[in-house]
Amino acid sequence: RKGLGPLLACAKPHSGKSHYQDDFFHLRTGFPIYPLFLCLVKTVPKMTNPTVYFADRTLRFLAAAPAEAGCAVVDAREGISRDKILKILETHNSVAVVAADPVAAFAAFAAEFTRVEAAGGVVVDDAGAWLMMRRNGRWDLPKGHVEAGEDFEHCAAREIAEETGIRARVVRPLCETLHAYWFPPTSRWELKCTHWFELRSTGEGTPTPQCEEGIEQVVWYSPDEAAEHVREAFPTIRRVAEAMLR
């Protein structure tokens, strides 16, 4: 945590349970408390311009500076670090790191985190409804850490059953996202790669929120209703919803 200054001085961990730490790191930085949340859609080698989300704020790695007003531009040649980006995001909603090789610049940035693996997904029932849950005041999708010896598909189905009470089987992969958080039990920043799947409900189980993980509701919604709720979700969840439509 060295060097994070006022950002970390007033930080509050969301949960001490590593298995469900998607699960964020709450900050107060002059704007309302929000979960520190990094998201990178798909794996880095497949991306030309990696995009990272800090809650509803954006960090992009680009080959040229963007044209939009209000975006802070950082030249990768001047050096980038986690601390530097966090400081800039205190006062900007969007940051662009400009580099000759955006993927390499991102890789250097990501090296400051410990990578962990997770999986989750969107469950669809026979009527086409989507299973959604409300966690800590925002709409979300079930997900969690991969256990030793477990593959991603099994992890997704297990986490969904534990967090929502619904049993499901994997239909297809959707995308991968990355987000990061400070994890107090290990005193380190972790970069979690979540592997997302579409699943089909087996018809077993009743929607039951896992309250100890901050889950308040588990609800089946039509695709149109789900789309409305996704607008309120974090950008990672919106990306997964986009992948469902492909």
Side-chain angles (χ1 to χ4, degrees):
R1 291 196 272 185
K2 182 179 179 181
L4 292 182
L7 272 175
L8 215 51
C10 48
K12 175 184 177 184
H14 169 62
S15 169
K17 188 178 180 184
S18 65
H19 186 62
Y20 297 102
Q21 189 79 19
D22 53 329
D23 293 349
F24 307 111
F25 177 50
H26 290 83
L27 306 178
R28 185 177 294 278
T29 60
F31 38 83
I33 288 178
Y34 63 87
L36 175 62
F37 182 156
L38 288 158
C39 160
L40 172 64
V41 174
K42 299 187 178 180
T43 55
V44 175
K46 298 178 182 178
M47 299 195 70
T48 303
N49 300 304
T51 299
V52 179
Y53 295 99
F54 292 69
D56 296 306
R57 300 178 183 223
T58 306
L59 169 65
R60 290 173 293 168
F61 291 80
L62 305 171
E68 68 261 29
C71 178
V73 177
V74 177
D75 188 334
R77 294 173 297 182
E78 298 175 0
I80 57 171
S81 68
R82 181 185 61 229
D83 292 4
K84 182 175 183 177
I85 295 301
L86 288 174
K87 186 65 177 178
I88 296 171
L89 285 173
E90 289 184 19
T91 55
H92 292 79
N93 290 325
S94 179
V95 177
V97 173
V98 178
D101 186 341
V103 173
F106 173 78
F109 177 76
E112 296 189 58
F113 302 85
T114 298
R115 180 168 168 135
V116 295
E117 302 288 341
V122 180
V123 181
V124 181
D125 70 8
D126 291 340
W130 291 18
L131 187 69
M132 296 196 71
M133 65 186 199
R134 195 165 180 84
R135 187 202 303 263
N136 298 319
R138 292 187 81 162
W139 290 102
D140 201 356
L141 294 170
K143 57 193 174 297
H145 282 191
V146 176
E147 294 184 345
E150 187 176 44
D151 62 31
F152 300 134
E153 292 86 348
H154 183 271
C155 175
R158 176 183 53 75
E159 285 290 340
I160 288 164
E162 291 177 359
E163 294 195 338
T164 71
I166 298 299
R167 297 192 177 279
R169 58 177 177 79
V170 170
V171 174
R172 63 174 176 133
L174 293 173
C175 62
E176 296 174 359
T177 62
L178 293 172
H179 69 275
Y181 48 84
W182 171 256
F183 188 48
T186 55
S187 298
R188 68 186 186 188
W189 286 88
E190 295 183 347
L191 180 63
K192 179 185 290 183
C193 178
T194 303
H195 304 260
W196 295 97
F197 299 89
E198 178 183 348
L199 300 91
R200 179 59 60 93
S201 170
T202 64
E204 302 172 83
T206 301
T208 306
Q210 191 178 29
C211 298
E212 62 267 30
E213 291 304 316
I215 302 169
E216 302 145 8
Q217 294 175 265
V218 176
V219 187
W220 289 105
Y221 284 119
S222 71
D224 287 344
E225 291 171 327
E228 288 296 319
H229 291 308
V230 162
R231 292 194 182 103
E232 303 173 20
F234 285 106
T236 350
I237 304 306
R238 296 201 294 271
R239 293 284 186 154
V240 176
E242 290 170 5
M244 279 287 291
L245 302 178
R246 293 200 291 266

